[in-house]
Amino acid sequence: MFLIDKVLLSDHLLEKQFVCDLSKCKGACCVEGDAGAPLLTEELAILEDIYESVKPFLSQEGIEKMEESGLYVQDTDGSYTTPVINNRECAYVVYDAHNTAKCGIEMAHKAGKTDFLKPISCHLYPIRVSQYGTYEALNYHKWDICDAACTLGESLQVKVYAFLREALTRKYGQEWFDELIKIDQARKDAGF
């Protein structure tokens, strides 16, 4: 483990390799699991503000779910998540012609309908963020649905943190990410 500012990072972010392989997993991380995507409190108002722009990119089932339960739901621990359909996929999921799960929010962003890319927890996956007082802990979430991503990452020699450069920079800034690169280089120089 190592610390940058008030962010504690697992060594796995520098040791494991990962590159999403949607052709193999079909976006299973947006479908499998026991809850929707974790949401930051500040993302709740964003979801409310962009909903009408995102709505044309959603499935009818997703729209119905959100009209029934809301654009986000409160979990048993008090945190907020995206709603899920039939205890499975995120209500913001749509499927493409290859039956691959895609994010309706991200599709709206790519179409220029919103500046919001998608919830940061989705953008950071397979990193999961835990809050400990004023500190955050970043851990690599190992899940068998991502085995193909691990295989592709190993073949391309792309570390988890490097694959998530855009997401980590979005969350913590370029200077923070540059410090992470320096730590990785120092570990290499030390023989890790």
Side-chain angles (χ1 to χ4, degrees):
M1 302 288 278
F2 54 98
L3 188 68
I4 302 176
D5 297 329
K6 290 193 168 192
V7 183
L8 185 64
L9 296 95
S10 164
D11 291 338
H12 287 151
L13 304 184
L14 302 179
E15 296 168 353
K16 303 290 184 184
Q17 281 121 8
F18 190 98
V19 173
C20 279
D21 193 345
L22 284 175
S23 67
K24 300 259 174 51
C25 72
K26 303 288 188 188
C29 61
C30 299
V31 177
E32 302 297 330
D34 57 1
L39 296 169
L40 299 174
T41 305
E42 56 267 26
E43 291 176 326
L44 306 182
I46 294 170
L47 290 177
E48 291 171 4
D49 289 344
I50 67 169
Y51 180 67
E52 290 303 320
S53 299
V54 171
K55 189 175 179 179
F57 296 88
L58 302 176
S59 70
Q60 187 59 40
E61 201 173 13
I63 292 167
E64 289 170 6
K65 180 63 180 181
M66 285 184 257
E67 287 175 358
E68 170 196 318
S69 64
L71 304 178
Y72 47 85
V73 295
Q74 194 166 20
D75 212 348
T76 55
D77 67 357
S79 63
Y80 290 94
T81 67
T82 59
V84 294
I85 300 168
N86 298 323
N87 295 317
R88 281 191 51 84
E89 71 258 22
C90 172
Y92 291 94
V93 161
V94 292
Y95 292 93
D96 69 11
H98 305 289
N99 204 31
T100 299
K102 303 282 182 144
C103 176
I105 299 168
E106 188 172 11
M107 291 171 66
H109 174 76
K110 286 180 179 178
K113 303 299 182 185
T114 176
D115 291 335
F116 185 65
L117 177 60
K118 59 183 164 184
I120 193 67
S121 68
C122 301
H123 201 190
L124 284 170
Y125 195 78
I127 291 176
R128 286 293 187 215
V129 180
S130 301
Q131 195 72 39
Y132 296 100
T134 60
Y135 288 84
E136 290 184 333
L138 304 186
N139 288 291
Y140 167 66
H141 182 232
K142 175 79 171 118
W143 196 5
D144 62 346
I145 65 170
C146 292
D147 286 349
C150 296
T151 300
L152 183 57
E154 288 168 11
S155 72
L156 298 174
Q157 293 295 295
V158 176
K159 295 178 180 182
V160 172
Y161 88 89
F163 171 70
L164 295 170
R165 176 186 199 111
E166 180 185 356
L168 288 166
T169 302
R170 174 184 167 202
K171 175 117 171 103
Y172 298 108
Q174 188 62 52
E175 285 182 30
W176 184 95
F177 191 83
D178 290 344
E179 186 62 28
L180 180 53
I181 292 171
K182 288 177 191 172
I183 290 169
D184 187 31
Q185 187 59 51
R187 288 169 53 100
K188 282 183 206 169
D189 293 347
F192 287 101

